[in-house]
Amino acid sequence: MLTSFIEVSKESDFPIQNLPYGAYRTESGDIHLCSAIGEYIIDLFVLDEVEFFGGPNLKGKGVFLDSSLNYFMSLGRPAWKEARETLQKLLEKSNPRLKDDEQLRQKVLKEQDSVEMVMPVQIGDFTDFYSSEQHARNVGAMFRDPENALLPNWKHLPVGYHGRASSVVISGTKVHRPKGQILPEGADAPVFEESKLVDFELEVGFLTGPGNELGQPIDVDKAEEHIFGLVLVNDWSARDIQKWEYQPLGPFLAKNWATSISPWIVTLDALEPFRTEAPAQNPKPLSYLDQKNRTTFDIELEVFIKTEKLSTPYEICRTNYKHLYWTMAQQLAHHTITGCNIKPGDLYGSGTISGSEEGSYGSMLELSWKGTKKLKLPSGEVRSFLEDGDEIIMKAFSKNDELRIGFGEVRGKMIY
Ligand code: CA
């Protein structure tokens, strides 16, 4: 098993097998692209400046001299694999190049705790799906009919909508409680006031690489070639605004005010050891969605709440990415079947991920069952939805006996 000269604890999210991508602000205020190992970030700008990336796909391109990953993402899997292998070789235990060059090491490796991470991608478009069957069933049961919780289209296509990219923010950004039109219980006209039903949504998103030409759909069996990597997503939602506005065109202002993502993009190559079969589909989808090897990834997901009275974050949800009914490849094939073009750096959310039992639901809406079951916290506080000052922290990792590939976390605090 590959090991690095940099010591990495067994519990770390970032062994030499992970090497996620991000960006940070340097001491002089510039934005540098970076990767991570153990407790450190790896400054990719510095490595590119000394022409370290000399393979056939990256040589002379200066992809890490940019302040966003979009150009690198546009180059596709051969370039991604080359960068990964180049970095792994540099960090490998027996390689003296960085290990024994004290001066270079000081410029390249910085403690993660000492740097501010920033948005690593210019996100052009954000699309959000609705691909967790349990979540769709829960919402359908709550708002419509428990006997017919899924709408007739749900098992035939990955339901989704076009979201808002400008308000996608990096972990740590404080989010403001939105105001909007709300129809009070029993009233026949709306009022304008602050949302009282602010919620989180536990999601995993993927960011795209090369993409397609307008008019040329992406084949479902080739769709993964366009997927650069995954991030954790908290798709903040205002349920009371949503309830009044959503018919007939779907969510609008209820979801356009903030979407938080984790700072590290974990590549599909890093997640490869955790590939697993996707849930069986019945009925069989139409041929353009009929993926040959339907696989997904085994990724554990956790959500914690930290209120002002809680001394430590308290776990309120634990579930797994692998339960999603529609795969990323099916989502992307469906998205482009009309000829819609996707671009490097677009973000695609999975939709809220819920497991089959209580404690595995990925939103307050479901955890509190529309506010009917209050969540009791160890501080004595209760919650149906989020209050000002509440912070939501999401974590994700894949793990087996030898290896842990983690996402770090996405956190965001609700303020007024
Ligand atoms: Ca969502």
Side-chain angles (χ1 to χ4, degrees):
M1 183 128 152
L2 198 62
T3 51
S4 174
F5 66 87
I6 296 162
E7 212 164 303
V8 180
S9 96
K10 263 201 129 1
E11 287 74 49
S12 171
D13 280 348
F14 308 116
I16 190 170
Q17 287 81 4
N18 191 348
L19 302 179
Y21 292 97
Y24 82 104
R25 198 183 305 280
T26 67
E27 275 166 31
S28 53
D30 298 329
I31 307 297
H32 282 190
L33 297 174
C34 59
S35 183
I37 185 157
E39 308 284 303
Y40 297 92
I41 62 126
I42 306 159
D43 190 317
L44 300 177
F45 179 98
V46 172
L47 289 176
D48 210 351
E49 217 178 18
V50 295
E51 296 177 3
F52 181 72
F53 296 95
N57 294 289
L58 294 173
K59 189 178 165 68
K61 290 209 167 78
V63 294
F64 299 119
L65 304 180
D66 280 356
S67 56
S68 82
L69 285 162
N70 294 58
Y71 177 35
F72 177 51
M73 293 163 95
S74 77
L75 297 179
R77 196 159 304 283
W80 308 339
K81 277 196 183 296
E82 187 176 301
R84 175 179 169 79
E85 281 160 18
T86 306
L87 280 172
Q88 283 185 332
K89 212 185 280 175
L90 176 74
L91 296 162
E92 202 270 319
K93 209 169 199 155
S94 62
N95 187 345
R97 181 148 177 207
L98 182 62
K99 186 167 78 169
D100 296 345
D101 186 339
E102 166 89 42
Q103 227 182 347
L104 185 61
R105 225 175 50 221
Q106 288 210 344
K107 287 210 285 191
V108 170
L109 299 174
K110 296 183 182 165
E111 283 183 27
Q112 278 174 32
D113 285 349
S114 72
V115 302
E116 178 201 350
M117 298 297 291
V118 298
M119 187 61 79
V121 183
Q122 277 182 3
I123 296 172
D125 273 306
F126 168 40
T127 295
D128 200 19
F129 287 97
Y130 191 60
S131 289
S132 158
E133 180 172 351
Q134 192 61 49
H135 174 68
R137 283 189 183 281
N138 286 346
V139 174
M142 257 184 261
F143 290 100
R144 286 187 307 272
D145 172 11
E147 298 305 308
N148 294 292
L150 290 186
L151 287 169
N153 61 3
W154 200 89
K155 290 213 160 178
H156 293 280
L157 53 83
V159 169
Y161 72 99
H162 289 107
R164 185 77 194 164
S166 65
S167 54
V168 177
V169 295
I170 196 88
S171 175
T173 308
K174 291 192 170 89
V175 294
H176 290 266
R177 179 178 297 274
K179 286 183 183 167
Q181 282 200 24
I182 291 157
L183 187 69
E185 198 70 39
D188 51 16
V191 295
F192 174 73
E193 61 184 23
E194 69 187 65
S195 167
K196 296 190 173 57
L197 307 184
V198 166
D199 203 351
F200 67 85
E201 288 187 340
L202 167 65
E203 303 195 20
V204 171
F206 65 86
L207 289 143
T208 44
N212 55 326
E213 294 293 326
L214 188 67
Q216 306 294 317
I218 292 176
D219 186 294
V220 68
D221 292 313
K222 294 185 180 141
E224 279 197 11
E225 291 169 25
H226 298 275
I227 299 174
F228 177 71
L230 274 57
V231 288
L232 266 165
V233 177
N234 180 353
D235 188 29
W236 302 94
S237 300
R239 302 295 181 197
D240 37 10
I241 296 174
Q242 186 175 357
K243 195 179 171 196
W244 169 238
E245 74 172 3
Y246 86 102
Q247 283 175 318
L249 288 186
F252 183 34
L253 307 184
K255 287 169 181 281
N256 77 352
W257 47 280
T259 302
S260 303
I261 65 167
S262 54
W264 295 111
I265 306 169
V266 177
T267 65
L268 293 199
D269 285 329
L271 290 167
E272 200 54 47
F274 302 97
R275 197 179 273 280
T276 182
E277 227 173 284
Q281 291 188 313
N282 184 20
K284 190 175 148 86
L286 291 171
S287 63
Y288 79 94
L289 289 172
D290 193 9
Q291 191 182 355
K292 279 198 199 77
N293 296 304
R294 265 184 82 254
T295 55
T296 183
F297 296 96
D298 183 344
I299 306 169
E300 304 265 356
L301 305 166
E302 300 169 334
V303 183
F304 301 83
I305 190 168
K306 169 76 178 73
T307 66
E308 273 156 14
K309 284 190 185 153
L310 276 169
S311 54
T312 53
Y314 175 68
E315 185 179 285
I316 52 175
C317 164
R318 180 180 280 262
T319 184
N320 195 300
Y321 180 78
K322 70 183 176 188
H323 302 312
L324 286 179
Y325 188 82
W326 296 102
T327 65
M328 290 183 269
Q330 289 178 311
Q331 290 170 342
L332 207 51
H334 184 63
H335 201 300
T336 62
I337 194 60
T338 54
C340 171
N341 52 329
I342 61 150
K343 289 177 296 176
D346 289 350
L347 174 65
Y348 300 82
S350 57
T352 308
I353 303 171
S354 294
S356 55
E357 62 272 357
E358 282 185 58
S360 70
Y361 297 165
S363 66
M364 291 300 286
L365 177 70
E366 293 160 274
L367 289 167
S368 75
W369 209 256
K370 226 166 79 175
T372 58
K373 288 190 227 166
K374 294 209 186 303
L375 223 67
K376 293 190 180 75
L377 306 180
S379 52
E381 297 164 288
V382 291
R383 287 289 183 277
S384 314
F385 290 89
L386 301 178
E387 313 241 320
D388 294 342
D390 287 355
E391 189 170 31
I392 292 294
I393 302 139
M394 297 174 179
K395 299 184 185 197
F397 57 89
S398 296
K399 203 172 130 179
N400 59 29
D401 289 344
E402 295 99 53
L403 188 61
R404 178 189 167 103
I405 300 289
F407 283 68
E409 61 177 35
V410 57
R411 63 169 65 217
K413 195 180 210 174
M414 169 63 37
I415 56 169
Y416 181 59

